[in-house]
Amino acid sequence: MLEATPLTEDWILKHEGDRLPATVPGCVHTDLLAAGVIPDPFLGQGETEVAWVGRREWTYERDLAATNGHEQTDLVFDGLDTVAEVLLDGRPLGRTRNMHRSYRFDVTGLGGRLSVRFASAYAETEAVRGQLGERPAAYAEPYQYIRKMACSFGWDWGPTLVTAGIWRPVRLERWSTARIARVRPLVTVEDGLGRVEVRVDVERSRVEAELALEATVGGVRARAEIDGTTGTVRIEVPDVRLWWPRGYGEQPLYDVELTLLHEDRPLDVWRRRIGFRTVELDRRPDPHGTGFTLVVNGERLFARGVNWIPDDVFPSRIGRDRYRERLRQAADAGVDLVRVWGGGIYESEDFYDACDELGLLVWQDFPFACAAYPEEQPLRGEVEAEARENVVRLMPHPSLVLWNGNNENLWGFRDWGWEERLAGDSWGEGYYLGVLPRVVAELDPTRPYAAGSPWSGSWEHHPNDPAHGTHHSWEVWNREDYADYRANVPRFVAEFGWQAPPAYATLRRALPGEELAPDSPGMLHHQKADDGNGKLERGLARHFALPEGDFDRWHYLTQINQARAVAAGIEHWRSHWPVCAGTVVWQLNDCWPVTSWAAIDGDGREKPLYHELRRLYADRLLTLQARERGLVSAAVNQSAQAWSGTLTLRRMSVEGLVIGTASVSFTAGARSVADFGVPRELEPVGPKEFLVADAWGSPRSSDAETGEALRALHFPAVDREIPYPRPQFDVALVPGGIEVTARTLVRDLLLQADRLDPAAWADRGRLTLLPGERVTIGVRGWKARDGRDAAAAREALYCMEPHR
Ligand code: BMA
């Protein structure tokens, strides 16, 4: 039987004659940090101080004892970052140049000093660029010349921390006769009958030995012979339970166990979990253009998505618990699709395991982003090898529903001046329209492939044409106000978003001692976007009077503006289902403490946008939309039951007077949207008025947590024109939280719980109370004791105020 021995212990990192203790898996930066050699690059300007680390060569070492008792011993690296030479007692075992691959070296009968010598990634990129020529990109650093996580070179939300190291597990594998080299379970289901076709490749140390395979799935067992080095076991499992995305059903997972046998003795075992479900991507042309709708088990879905970036710029630090926590946060916010963005990595098994269990659909980008990538050697072979390996590695996971060729490269070629600059040089098209779809079709024909995001399906239409395929909506934020989201109805919005600073406690930790201001040195350093602060400022100024010299107010308003921006997009687009079939917010998470588009900040704290997503992505969403024909109320119902109830409309003044009311009954069928015009006489006019719509319904339309009706609000004027009354409300400490009772209109009330205690969390984000309304904001991680805490709670509450 194959024996695997992890090589986790006894590694050292050589640094200027010192031998520092090294963590494996890990990386140079985290080892230097642990040894006290470098400051924390996440704090203050630490990033700049450690820039030298990426320019050096680094060596990891440990002893490797020679082993016996087996015919073959392999040294297996699941991941090396990136350009390395592996030596045993000075004798080269091999070289590596791809972070996205694993490596296996034959060390049979060998022992001695094992060293892994990493060259600087910059040395490699300079050599490859010298050989293949310059290629255009959205960023200055040379990430397109090396197969390494692109965003480690810096991004518009990420630091430039070019690390090196043994970033994934390493082990010895000792075996005799044969081992399982590659397993491809092709899983299909039809009328309740699950089929698993397990395609297996083996490696042999004995060419002649007779080999067999035995596999079990869901209690069904099957056998097959190995012919040469391949074999296929076919298993049919009757009455399988379907795996569904969350909100649509359960996530039953079936264990697959595959054993390689020689004379009925097991040589090697492979275990994974699979799920039975079908997936199609409907891209048929229709009267609106070309659709992009995911269909799972025959159900057409509006995808409630988020974009995922590496959760730490040093991905070796992200363990199973961290993945699970972050993805649980996504699921709790109502998310059902996570797009693993192409500037990052193929994530670890832990990521996809959590998605399988939580019912999160995964859209996986191949790691290419925002650049022209050369298609010549040595890159071409690396791209094909990494694609083959990762398609096979990830194919057991039912959560994985889509492979996508790249992020924004087809768009960049057409729109960002690359076409002219390239003058015929290769730029990656051959990967996205050639190599990658070929690899997916050959190895995993059960899954759809898209060439890129955005992409209209062919060069016939502009790659980012909203009417065809996927669209990235970035005019809003870069140049326009979020009201502009309403300008069109894309078929699928794969990226859109708005920036805001992280939670206050996160800033305090990241910028120790700094007197915080929007443009204080640390704030500027932790803002990586091109003219990021300018866009934040202009975005604010369109809605609010700028709070000069008041950082806390600026922080509150920018966070509210972020939540409102994303809400404007999602409410509009969801109200246009099924023409629009998905929104993927840029971005769920951060990889360090930074001002960014993220809903969850670099310390894992939830920004107001996060709580807003819970409302926006709930099965039932009520929204008021200003359309050409007038104000429209739309009841978006993504649940399997019809939603019928009564809608109460109240036209009000900001002083709290009710100007007019009406009640209508409505029904939104299962998985559909019902919209109806707001009567003209109820449309609010001018800066003093607004409309409140409350949906009361059966079966329960109410928010289970609060027992309130679903509410939508419409203010026709921007805040800086609205004559808000001085907000008055009472605050009381109640078990588990804070109770607020409004005596006036209190708009966008927000408890910044981390100001009470860095460990405190609020269970909701911004909310608007009408005079007389009361709400309890749940707070975890904080125990209120006395009157001083009530005062602290009041201090941590923000809301819209009259202009000064
Ligand atoms: C798109 C993304 C990322 C970027 C984001 C915000 O370009 O694909 O590259 O971080 O917009 O600018």
Side-chain angles (χ1 to χ4, degrees), residues 139 155-157 339 341 370 407-408 472 474 495 586 597:
Y139 299 92
W155 216 259
D156 57 3
W157 34 258
R339 172 182 176 224
W341 166 78
C370 302
N407 176 71
E408 297 189 342
H472 289 193
W474 282 118
E495 281 186 16
W586 187 269
W597 298 259

Side-chain angles (χ1 to χ4, degrees), residues 242-252 358-359 671:
L242 293 179
W243 184 97
W244 287 97
R246 57 180 304 287
Y248 283 74
E250 291 179 4
Q251 290 79 43
L358 291 165
R671 320 244 195 252

Side-chain angles (χ1 to χ4, degrees), residues 634-676:
V636 180
N637 179 27
Q638 203 163 334
S639 76
Q641 288 84 39
W643 175 20
S644 39
T646 311
L647 187 72
T648 328
L649 298 169
R650 271 179 289 174
R651 177 177 170 187
M652 294 187 67
S653 77
V654 291
E655 290 97 15
L657 296 175
V658 178
I659 302 163
T661 63
S663 263
V664 283
S665 45
F666 70 93
T667 297
R671 320 244 195 252
S672 58
V673 180
D675 60 33
F676 29 89

Side-chain angles (χ1 to χ4, degrees), residues 553-575:
R553 190 94 200 135
W554 175 87
H555 179 257
Y556 159 72
L557 288 176
T558 46
Q559 287 202 332
I560 291 294
N561 221 28
Q562 178 190 37
R564 286 206 203 166
V566 171
I570 294 179
E571 290 186 35
H572 163 61
W573 293 317
R574 266 192 95 183
S575 78

Side-chain angles (χ1 to χ4, degrees), residues 289-510:
T290 314
F292 191 92
T293 306
L294 281 165
V295 187
V296 179
N297 297 330
E299 282 281 357
R300 305 175 69 80
L301 314 173
F302 180 95
R304 293 170 278 191
V306 286
N307 279 281
W308 171 276
I309 64 167
D311 205 55
D312 192 318
V313 72
F314 305 124
S316 52
R317 277 203 293 215
I318 317 167
R320 197 169 178 81
D321 292 348
R322 169 107 157 254
Y323 273 122
R324 198 153 289 258
E325 165 66 3
R326 198 67 71 242
L327 291 163
R328 181 203 55 78
Q329 283 176 303
D332 284 354
V335 166
D336 57 23
L337 177 134
V338 180
R339 172 182 176 224
V340 181
W341 166 78
I345 53 179
Y346 306 93
E347 296 285 346
S348 85
E349 290 301 300
D350 297 332
F351 175 93
Y352 306 93
D353 281 347
C355 292
D356 289 345
E357 287 167 24
L358 291 165
L360 292 168
L361 301 171
V362 178
W363 151 339
Q364 177 73 44
D365 280 10
F366 283 98
F368 300 90
C370 302
Y373 284 78
E375 290 173 43
E376 291 76 25
Q377 297 290 23
L379 288 171
R380 191 182 187 82
E382 291 299 336
V383 166
E384 170 133 9
E386 88 183 43
R388 288 183 166 278
E389 177 174 340
N390 285 287
V391 166
V392 171
R393 177 169 73 88
L394 301 184
M395 63 191 281
H397 295 281
S399 55
L400 179 61
V401 293
L402 178 64
W403 282 104
N404 176 56
N406 72 85
N407 176 71
E408 297 189 342
N409 295 348
L410 299 159
W411 183 17
F413 175 74
R414 183 50 45 92
D415 258 13
W416 303 347
W418 299 356
E419 194 166 355
E420 303 73 49
R421 285 178 57 197
L422 282 160
D425 282 349
S426 68
W427 57 277
E429 187 184 23
Y431 298 145
Y432 319 132
L433 299 175
V435 176
L436 300 175
R438 171 167 56 72
V439 167
V440 174
E442 178 198 321
L443 298 175
D444 181 12
T446 71
R447 284 184 173 84
Y449 171 86
S453 187
W455 180 233
S456 58
S458 77
W459 288 116
E460 226 179 279
H461 304 284
H462 185 278
N464 201 28
D465 187 334
H468 300 277
T470 45
H471 177 69
H472 289 193
S473 184
W474 282 118
E475 280 308 299
V476 167
W477 166 250
N478 282 325
R479 279 162 289 278
E480 307 295 341
D481 182 47
Y482 45 81
D484 262 53
Y485 282 137
R486 288 200 283 271
N488 56 32
V489 181
R491 309 310 304 272
F492 192 106
V493 192
E495 281 186 16
F496 68 104
W498 198 273
Q499 274 202 349
Y504 179 76
T506 303
L507 287 173
R508 270 279 60 103
R509 188 186 77 84

